Amino acid sequence: MKLRWGALTLAGVLALAACGAESGTPTTAAGAKGGTGGDGGSLVWAVETQPITFNPHQWGQNKARLLVHNQFDALIARGGNGDFLPWLATSWQVSKDGLTYTFELRDDVTFHDGERFDAASVKANLDQLVSPGYNAAVSAIQLRNFDHAEVSAPYTLKVTLKAPDGLFLDFLSSPLAGQVSPKSLKNAKDLKAGGVDVVGTGPFILDRFTPGQEVHYRRNPNYNWPPAGAAHQGPAHLAEVTYRFLPEAAVRVGALTSGQVQVIEGVPATEIGLIKGNPELKLETSLNSGSAFSYYFNVSRPPFDDKRVREAFRDAVDVDAVLNSVYQGTAKRAWSVIGQGSPQFYDPSLENTFGNDPARANKLLDEAGWNGRDAEGYRVKDGKRLTVRTVSAAPFVRDRRDILAQAVQAAVKQSAGIDFQVKLVDQGTAQKAADENEYEIFENSRGDTDAGAALNLILPKGAAINRTRFESAELDRLLADASAASDLAERKELYAKVQKTVVTDEALLLPLYVPADQIAYGAGVTGITFEPVSGTPNSAYDLRIGT
């Protein structure tokens, strides 16, 4: 697995992208390498998770990221070393105070519905993203410092921020900033859900969606604006691509080995040997950026309002043994809220500082008053069993996380007498449990290219997915300072303090593993790559069948 650099700070943007308003030369698009597209062919790709929306502004499933960039383009792309590259924006300038961004846009781009892409359409997208009730998380985190956008010329947009924000360009390179036709924004039947009437400028056009079965894309014949660094110019090689929703790992692998599909993602550990042993198949793996998959403890209700119980739960689990039993040595152990897929901010000093100490777990629980046992061996206190619940939404379950939960469930019962109840439910039921505070453990990982975006969504008071319900003015200050910082070393130092606070000082979570994507495909398929910063699969733009 190769390492990938994470998002640049504001200083890095100014230096590497050379886009300072008062000094330096604006970034301009570099020519893509390789031949032209449009060779033809059809490809079927089996995916683990059905998207809950096809609107990029509402994107939240890392497994669905590859679909977003089939249909939608962003203003900015990311390079192999984490630098920002031109895409729909040919150049940008940033004022010295970091408050004003001026973007020069391509003048040859059209949306799938025939509408012209221009500065007015980008402004419409930004205004929509901060409109009340549309995407509260984006409005509160990624665009919290957005003040307004104004059209300076047909293809020139000036964006003014309320405060410097080191995450702004990262946001503009993310799926959340995929450009949607203004006509769609006004007239779509279900804008938040997306679909065939929510269109972008991307290399493929979504023309059919059968819930529970598949989504079909056909090539955009007019496409000629790939991001800098793309392997070819012009339309996509493939004439069409179908993504089939096959949540069962064995079914996906069987579909690949039988030739029903040419590509699958989400290869289980139990099948990796089969894939590697077949000379007709290939396997590629990449760690994801962002936050690690962790169990976050809800400190607002018993028993995790007691730090001793939080530490005891962690000490009751031999994470390495659990991961090996579920993933057979293929999972990367996590030690912090930030995963090793974001090496620029990950703090390795946390490694081997907690966990796998059943004696200490039992001592802590005794001290916390959970020193009785019921007939089934579970700890009790004042006649009440030591029970904790996780309520997970099925659309977000990936990587055999349901099996992982069962392994943790067995471990904490055997080691410490904790009753860990695992509930896999529909999205509405999971949201209801979250809203009503009827859970003790919240499972989550985030695939943000800048880990700071993930931390801002999970940790501050009132954050969109602060399901620990932990509140700390000092922690909030550290996160705010890190987001606004213009120096990478300063951000790294601040995020190290954040990690120490939540992992060591407060024991707010049990980090488990670093998410990764595994792709298996037939030998006749070429162009399989991963996004260099996120580590997630790229769109189908550069894919082809044969040479």
Side-chain angles (χ1 to χ4, degrees):
M1 299 179 188
K2 66 177 182 178
L3 294 177
R4 299 172 310 282
W5 296 100
L8 299 176
T9 61
L10 185 57
V13 172
L14 295 173
L16 293 180
C19 51
E22 284 77 19
S23 63
T25 304
T27 302
T28 54
K33 297 179 290 184
T36 59
D39 306 28
S42 301
L43 182 137
V44 183
W45 183 323
V47 294
E48 182 177 5
T49 306
Q50 175 176 306
I52 58 176
T53 174
F54 288 95
N55 179 338
H57 297 167
Q58 304 294 325
W59 168 79
Q61 296 163 287
N62 218 35
K63 283 285 188 177
R65 186 184 181 109
L66 75 163
L67 302 181
V68 174
H69 281 157
N70 275 340
Q71 192 181 4
F72 301 93
D73 297 324
L75 296 186
I76 298 170
R78 302 301 293 274
N81 62 355
D83 53 337
F84 294 101
L85 301 175
W87 197 347
L88 295 183
T90 59
S91 66
W92 54 90
Q93 298 177 335
V94 186
S95 61
K96 287 183 177 178
D97 61 8
L99 297 179
T100 303
Y101 290 70
T102 303
F103 296 92
E104 298 298 331
L105 308 175
R106 295 190 67 127
D107 61 3
D108 59 347
V109 177
T110 55
F111 289 97
H112 299 158
D113 58 11
E115 292 287 295
R116 174 72 64 175
F117 167 81
D118 55 16
S121 64
V122 179
K123 172 177 166 55
N125 275 259
L126 288 169
D127 290 344
Q128 180 67 49
L129 278 159
V130 296
S131 63
Y134 185 62
N135 190 326
V138 167
S139 181
I141 302 298
Q142 288 94 336
L143 290 178
R144 63 181 174 179
N145 290 317
F146 173 78
D147 187 85
H148 68 278
E150 55 186 292
V151 176
S152 302
Y155 296 97
T156 304
L157 184 77
K158 186 168 81 170
V159 176
T160 301
L161 303 182
K162 302 171 187 175
D165 195 330
L167 295 175
F168 183 58
L169 287 182
D170 177 74
F171 166 74
L172 293 181
S173 71
S174 76
L176 288 165
Q179 294 298 294
V180 178
S181 165
K183 184 184 292 186
S184 293
L185 295 177
K186 293 179 180 178
N187 302 325
K189 294 178 182 178
D190 189 342
L191 178 58
K192 285 192 174 183
V196 296
D197 62 348
V198 177
V199 305
T201 63
F204 291 93
I205 299 168
L206 190 160
D207 62 4
R208 185 175 71 249
F209 169 50
T210 307
Q213 296 184 36
E214 64 184 31
V215 60
H216 180 268
Y217 296 87
R218 58 182 169 85
R219 181 171 54 206
N220 176 4
N222 301 315
Y223 194 76
N224 196 31
W225 41 87
H232 77 280
Q233 294 278 14
H237 296 301
L238 297 171
E240 59 180 351
V241 56
T242 302
Y243 295 89
R244 290 185 181 164
F245 311 129
L246 300 179
E248 295 295 329
V251 174
R252 288 195 302 280
V253 174
L256 177 66
T257 56
S258 65
Q260 299 176 59
V261 304
Q262 289 82 48
V263 185
I264 65 171
E265 61 84 24
V267 182
T270 53
E271 305 294 340
I272 285 179
L274 173 66
I275 300 297
K276 289 184 174 180
N278 188 330
E280 299 299 318
L281 301 177
K282 295 182 179 180
L283 178 71
E284 305 285 350
T285 302
S286 179
L287 288 179
N288 295 167
S289 62
S291 61
F293 177 69
S294 304
Y295 285 173
Y296 294 85
F297 304 131
N298 181 355
V299 304
S300 71
R301 55 179 297 138
F304 288 139
D305 56 341
D306 188 329
K307 180 185 173 184
R308 293 171 295 186
V309 180
R310 303 196 295 269
E311 291 185 344
F313 191 97
R314 297 198 311 191
D315 283 337
V317 183
D318 182 345
V319 173
D320 289 321
V322 165
L323 294 179
N324 284 333
S325 70
V326 177
Y327 302 112
Q328 300 182 12
T330 64
K332 180 74 172 178
R333 166 76 184 271
W335 287 100
S336 179
V337 60
I338 296 177
Q340 292 93 313
S342 296
Q344 79 282 25
F345 295 136
Y346 172 69
D347 182 3
S349 72
L350 296 172
E351 294 177 7
N352 301 304
T353 60
F354 61 89
N356 190 24
D357 191 344
R360 183 172 184 270
N362 284 284
K363 181 175 182 293
L364 287 168
L365 293 176
D366 286 342
E367 293 173 355
W370 295 96
N371 46 23
R373 297 272 185 165
D374 63 16
E376 296 181 60
Y378 293 111
R379 286 181 173 267
V380 294
K381 178 181 179 181
D382 300 327
K384 184 178 180 181
R385 178 182 287 185
L386 178 51
T387 299
V388 297
R389 301 162 296 171
T390 181
V391 184
S392 302
F396 290 93
V397 174
R398 53 174 282 195
D399 302 342
R400 292 165 57 86
R401 289 176 180 176
D402 51 341
I403 308 301
L404 175 61
Q406 293 172 22
V408 174
Q409 180 185 58
V412 296
K413 177 184 179 182
Q414 179 178 352
S415 296
I418 299 173
D419 180 17
F420 177 31
Q421 297 183 0
V422 180
K423 299 182 179 181
L424 185 62
V425 298
D426 61 86
Q427 188 178 1
T429 301
Q431 186 62 51
K432 183 173 184 291
D435 293 342
E436 297 179 356
N437 200 22
E438 289 295 331
Y439 64 96
E440 286 74 38
I441 287 178
F442 169 59
E443 304 176 26
N444 186 260
S445 65
R446 291 280 308 180
D448 303 272
T449 49
D450 189 304
L455 299 183
N456 285 335
L457 282 166
I458 298 170
L459 298 178
K461 177 182 178 180
I465 53 174
N466 180 351
R467 303 286 168 76
T468 66
R469 300 179 182 256
F470 176 76
E471 298 180 6
S472 165
E474 175 62 16
L475 178 62
D476 292 354
R477 183 191 65 79
L478 289 171
L479 290 165
D481 289 349
S483 295
S486 59
D487 179 75
L488 181 63
E490 181 182 358
R491 293 188 76 200
K492 183 178 180 67
E493 181 180 352
L494 289 166
Y495 284 137
K497 292 179 180 179
V498 168
Q499 291 170 81
K500 181 178 182 299
T501 297
V502 301
V503 177
T504 303
D505 298 342
E506 299 295 339
L508 295 182
L509 69 154
L510 169 61
L512 290 167
Y513 73 95
V514 183
D517 274 291
Q518 311 87 19
I519 301 178
Y521 56 100
V525 178
T526 59
I528 294 286
T529 56
F530 296 92
E531 292 190 23
V533 177
S534 71
T536 55
N538 266 317
S539 74
Y541 174 64
D542 284 325
L543 294 188
R544 63 198 310 170
I545 300 176
T547 57

